[in-house]
Amino acid sequence: MTQYLVSVLDDRTGSGTEDEMAAIDVYNDGLRADGHWVFAGGLGGPETATVIDARHGEPVLTDGPYVETKEHTAGFWIIEAADLDVALRLAAEGSQACNRRVEVRPFL
C-alpha cells in the first residue's frame, strides 16, 4: 500500500458548514472502516503561518504564508491505497464530502 497526501484547497478560512463537517465525518468513518485511514487534520488560516529559513545559519522567521495565493491548504488526509486509481477515487469522495477541490500526491 502506498500513502498519499490529499490536500484540501479553499479560498476562505473556517468555512466548513455543519452539513459539510457531518459529511466529512461520514467520509472519515468510511476510510477507517475500509483500512485507508492514516491521519487527517484541519489547518489554521494562512495568516497563522510562520516561514523559517535557517539555510544560512541563524534562522530567519517571517510571519504569514510562504506564498500569497488566492487558495490555501485548509486541511488534509493521509490515506493508504493499493494504487493511484484507488487514491484518486477516494480523493474524489473526499472532495465531494468537504465540497472543496483537493490535490493528491504520493509520498516518496
Side-chain angles (χ1 to χ4, degrees):
M1 295 277 264
T2 301
Q3 290 186 343
Y4 294 86
L5 172 65
V6 180
S7 301
V8 178
L9 309 175
D10 201 352
D11 60 355
R12 298 163 288 164
T13 300
S15 62
T17 66
E18 285 185 35
D19 288 344
E20 289 166 346
M21 298 309 289
I24 291 168
D25 287 341
V26 170
Y27 173 70
N28 289 344
D29 290 343
L31 288 176
R32 287 182 188 100
D34 294 338
H36 297 292
W37 175 270
V38 175
F39 183 77
L43 300 173
E47 71 281 356
T48 67
T50 302
V51 176
I52 303 166
D53 185 352
R55 294 176 294 174
H56 306 290
E58 197 65 30
V60 176
L61 282 67
T62 307
D63 290 337
Y66 170 67
V67 293
E68 297 289 333
T69 64
K70 184 176 179 181
E71 292 182 307
H72 62 275
T73 303
F76 63 91
W77 285 280
I78 298 174
I79 61 171
E80 287 187 335
D83 57 41
L84 181 59
D85 289 337
V86 173
L88 294 176
R89 178 182 56 77
L90 293 169
E93 293 170 6
S95 173
Q96 188 172 37
C98 70
N99 195 31
R100 305 287 184 281
R101 295 183 330 132
V102 300
E103 176 188 73
V104 178
R105 296 175 70 181
F107 281 90
L108 300 178

